């Protein structure tokens, strides 16, 4: 890996990679013990790493141009917290993590809702697990990477992002039950169906993301508590209608209907009826806009423009308040939909969006 050689003057012992992801459907359901259906992007974070003899870690990132060294005595802040968090969580879990030096680079856009943070954690975790010969089954890794982000970096994300980055398979979407952590790999060959998934990075500045995300989580927990159930996964629409608080009612209705939309999407994909998932995507967007209230004008504009240009379905993907929109389109209509969204953004005076066609790629791996 040329970056590792440039920084450390030698080849790394190994090179590992973990992808970013988009969520096909199932938004804000993961922390409600519900269902999600992400797939891995071809964009990924690549890390070259070698062991060192001391309990010390050095990490350099091409994206920040910074090189940070830490040991176990300090709490690391900033972007390197995602790396130090992985070291911390592995030690908390009782593993003897080797000291290491690492160089990383990524083509996952940072902070666009495509989970560059999970790609970073997952690539580092995979590298350290291999370097140290740690006996750590793949299905136990996402929860550790999530804890690194929650408890060390201080971001209250659910289990979806790390599960997708670590467990996805090329050509498949990952049907994940966030309560049992059981997965099923659902074939998702859009090209064979004459279709394409367009990801549109709206470039909308994230507004109040962390605070609003935490507020949604709290409201969902309060709604579950008011209903006397462990999580909104266990609610029905009839139960939701009985909630006294109108905000809790809207939030819970999103979660309950969104879980059902994931199940319906999986059923259609199992049947090879790819095009028919479009209306479920669009309904998911309406639910996020009206009931969960996590969209912003840029993402609503992108969804409307994509649908007007002939997309079968379109929705915001990711935690909300900016980020990316997914559109399911005919394979030969990507340019038409792209121009429609670009024109709509220009008319509104928004920063030009960055669309790309997403093909489901593999999960974390040694290269
Ligand atoms: P997302 O995961 O949607 O991209 P987040 O805000 O969760 O957005 O994570 C983005 C943060 O993750 C960045 O601000 C940075 O701190 C860190 N990060 C991700 N990838 C890299 C990288 N290649 N180099 C340095 N920091 C990174
Ligand atoms: Mg993230």
């Amino acid at each position: 890996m040329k970056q590792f050689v440039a920084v450390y003057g030698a080849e790394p012992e190994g090179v590992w990679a973990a992808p970013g992801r988009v969520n096909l459907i199932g938004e804000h359901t993961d922390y409600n013990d519900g269902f999600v259906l992400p797939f891995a992007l071809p964009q990924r974070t690549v890390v070259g790493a070698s062991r060192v003899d001391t309990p010390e870690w050095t990490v350099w990132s091409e994206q920040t141009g910074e090189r940070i060294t830490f040991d176990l005595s300090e709490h690391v802040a900033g972007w390197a917290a995602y790396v130090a968090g992985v070291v911390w969580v592995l030690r908390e879990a009782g593993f003897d993590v080797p000291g290491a030096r690492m160089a990383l680079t990524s083509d996952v856009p940072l902070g666009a809702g495509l989970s560059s943070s999970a790609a970073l954690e997952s690539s580092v975790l995979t590298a350290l697990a291999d370097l140290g010969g740690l006996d750590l089954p793949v299905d136990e890794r996402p929860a550790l990477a999530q804890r690194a982000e929650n408890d060390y970096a201080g971001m209250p994300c659910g289990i979806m992002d790390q599960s997708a980055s670590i467990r996805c398979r090329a050509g498949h979407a990952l049907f994940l039950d966030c309560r049992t952590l059981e997965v099923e790999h659902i074939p998702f060959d859009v090209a064979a169906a004459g279709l394409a998934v367009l990801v549109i990075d709206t470039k909308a500045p994230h507004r109040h993301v962390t605070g609003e995300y935490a507020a949604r989580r709290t409201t969902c927990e309060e709604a579950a508590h008011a209903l006397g159930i462990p999580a909104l996964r266990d609610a029905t629409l009839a139960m939701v209608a009985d909630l006294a608080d109108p905000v809790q009612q809207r939030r819970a209705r999103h979660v309950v209907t969104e879980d059902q939309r994931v199940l319906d999407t999986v059923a259609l994909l199992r049947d090879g009826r790819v095009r028919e998932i479009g209306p479920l995507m669009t309904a998911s967007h309406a639910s996020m806009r009206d009931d969960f209230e996590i969209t912003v004008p840029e993402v609503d504009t992108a969804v409307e423009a994509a649908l007007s240009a002939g997309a079968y379905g379109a929705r915001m993907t990711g935690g909300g308040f900016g980020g990316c929109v997914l559109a399911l389109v005919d394979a030969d209509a990507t340019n038409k939909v792209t121009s429609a969204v670009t024109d709509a953004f220009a008319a509104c005076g928004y920063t030009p969006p960055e669309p790309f066609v997403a093909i489901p790629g593999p999960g974390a791996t040694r290269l």
Side-chain angles (χ1 to χ4, degrees):
M1 184 198 191
K2 67 177 193 300
Q3 293 93 336
F4 190 97
V5 175
V7 176
Y8 299 111
E11 286 291 345
E13 275 182 70
V15 182
W16 292 262
R21 62 96 191 95
V22 283
N23 189 20
L24 189 54
I25 197 157
E27 223 61 76
H28 285 262
T29 46
D30 59 351
Y31 57 79
N32 289 298
D33 277 5
F35 306 105
V36 294
L37 190 63
F39 66 85
L41 291 170
Q43 288 91 330
R44 60 193 188 171
T45 298
V46 176
V47 56
S50 291
R51 279 169 292 184
V52 298
D53 293 336
T54 47
E56 215 176 51
W57 292 265
T58 299
V59 58
W60 172 88
S61 163
E62 182 157 40
Q63 280 60 56
T64 61
E66 279 180 295
R67 174 167 159 171
I68 310 262
T69 298
F70 60 91
D71 62 25
L72 298 166
S73 66
E74 57 199 315
H75 188 99
V76 179
W79 66 272
Y82 295 97
V83 178
V86 169
V87 172
W88 170 82
V89 79
L90 286 170
R91 291 186 57 90
E92 283 281 305
F95 291 108
D96 190 12
V97 192
R101 49 191 198 180
M102 296 169 259
L104 62 94
T105 187
S106 185
D107 59 357
V108 184
L110 272 57
L114 299 175
S115 237
S116 69
S117 61
L120 175 52
E121 294 145 7
S122 303
S123 62
V124 168
L125 189 140
T126 307
L128 292 176
D130 272 5
L131 277 181
L134 310 186
D135 181 16
L136 180 52
V138 166
D139 58 358
E140 290 173 21
R141 295 179 182 194
L144 291 176
Q146 181 200 12
R147 246 190 98 200
E149 182 151 349
N150 288 173
D151 297 349
Y152 193 97
M155 303 302 285
C157 61
I159 188 81
M160 171 172 68
D161 299 351
Q162 295 79 8
S163 298
S165 188
I166 290 171
R167 300 184 76 180
C168 277
R169 284 192 192 153
H172 292 73
L174 184 80
F175 177 36
L176 171 67
D177 179 332
C178 299
R179 171 166 278 166
T180 63
L181 299 186
E182 272 171 44
V183 304
E184 186 184 336
H185 299 278
I186 307 291
F188 187 52
D189 190 350
V190 279
L195 300 170
V197 175
L198 199 58
V199 177
I200 303 153
D201 181 353
T202 66
K203 300 269 168 185
H206 276 58
R207 307 168 180 103
H208 321 297
V209 152
T210 313
E212 293 284 359
Y213 184 94
R216 294 303 179 284
R217 278 190 85 135
T218 305
T219 306
C220 288
E221 279 159 23
E222 287 166 355
H225 184 75
L227 292 170
I229 51 178
L232 288 179
R233 153 77 170 271
D234 306 299
T236 62
L237 279 181
M239 291 161 76
V240 169
D242 282 341
L243 280 166
D245 180 86
V247 175
Q248 283 183 14
Q249 206 178 84
R250 287 204 301 279
R251 304 295 187 255
R253 187 167 55 209
H254 165 74
V255 173
V256 172
T257 57
E258 186 77 352
D259 270 338
Q260 188 59 49
R261 283 186 288 270
V262 176
L263 300 178
D264 293 346
T265 302
V266 167
L268 286 170
L269 291 181
R270 281 199 192 110
D271 268 1
R273 293 156 66 187
V274 183
R275 186 165 309 178
E276 290 171 61
I277 73 171
L280 292 165
M281 296 169 69
T282 306
S284 166
H285 187 78
S287 180
M288 290 189 283
R289 183 190 58 214
D290 302 335
D291 277 347
F292 222 62
E293 298 178 273
I294 53 172
T295 70
V296 292
E298 290 90 336
V299 304
D300 292 335
T301 299
V303 165
E304 280 153 31
L307 291 172
S308 302
Y312 295 106
R315 63 181 290 273
M316 183 188 77
T317 180
F321 306 100
C324 292
V325 162
L326 286 185
L328 183 68
V329 303
D330 276 326
D332 59 9
T334 55
N335 286 341
K336 183 177 171 214
V337 174
T338 296
S339 328
V341 175
T342 306
D343 291 350
F345 271 47
C348 293
Y350 300 152
T351 305
E354 269 182 38
F356 63 90
V357 172
I359 294 156
T365 179
R366 186 174 190 149
L367 299 181

